[in-house]
Amino acid sequence: YLPRQTHKFTNSFTTSFSKTFCSIVTETRFEQPYGNFSEKTTITMAMLLPFILVAPPHTLRYLKLLGFKTFSDWWDESYDEEEDHTKRMIKIFNLIEYINHFTIDELKNMHEEMIPVLDHNKEVLLSISNKKPLL
């Protein structure tokens, strides 16, 4: 049972997510040498949204090692390989600008193409959540 106020926030949260094309996930850590992710990324996967990670280098690679798929078929994900934190952030800004240039119809079509990847990620997430902790 969720208190009424929390329940309203939850509904508002899911409603706002359902109106977005892509989630820009800002993980807690950015300037560390190894990839990591948190519930911030997994919530996005559960909501069936593509994502850009403002996270340490190699976080996308780490997700792929766990069985998740990312969005390199639709945009440049080389930001994940950039170990210079300033340069990585600039690449992320450039990617956001790139996506921002698409029309709403183009984004809708792109999202339709992504559905198999989005469904796959949710299935992997559900399978992992039913297992013991990874680390």
Side-chain angles (χ1 to χ4, degrees), residues 64-129:
K64 289 175 187 177
L65 287 171
L66 294 172
F68 294 103
K69 294 182 180 180
T70 62
F71 306 94
S72 60
D73 287 348
W74 295 276
W75 55 68
D76 179 12
E77 292 184 330
S78 65
Y79 70 89
D80 187 59
E81 301 163 12
E82 181 57 62
E83 294 182 351
D84 180 293
H85 306 304
T86 301
K87 290 179 182 177
R88 187 169 66 262
M89 196 69 223
I90 290 168
K91 285 184 166 205
I92 292 167
F93 287 146
N94 289 338
L95 175 55
I96 293 166
E97 280 297 315
Y98 169 76
I99 293 170
N100 193 45
H101 283 92
F102 287 100
T103 67
I104 297 295
D105 287 337
E106 290 170 327
L107 292 174
K108 286 179 182 178
N109 291 335
M110 191 184 300
H111 188 268
E112 284 291 320
E113 293 172 7
M114 292 176 171
I115 288 175
V117 170
L118 300 171
D119 287 341
H120 169 84
N121 286 347
K122 188 168 184 177
E123 288 300 317
V124 171
L125 181 62
L126 292 172
S127 73
I128 288 173
S129 67

Side-chain angles (χ1 to χ4, degrees), residues 22-56:
C22 177
S23 182
I24 301 167
V25 179
T26 305
E27 286 292 354
T28 303
R29 292 180 172 84
F30 181 76
E31 294 185 0
Q32 69 182 26
Y34 52 89
N36 75 288
F37 65 96
S38 71
E39 82 288 348
K40 296 171 190 139
T41 299
T42 59
I43 287 170
T44 299
M45 291 177 187
M47 296 298 296
L48 299 171
L49 286 173
F51 51 85
I52 299 167
L53 294 182
V54 182

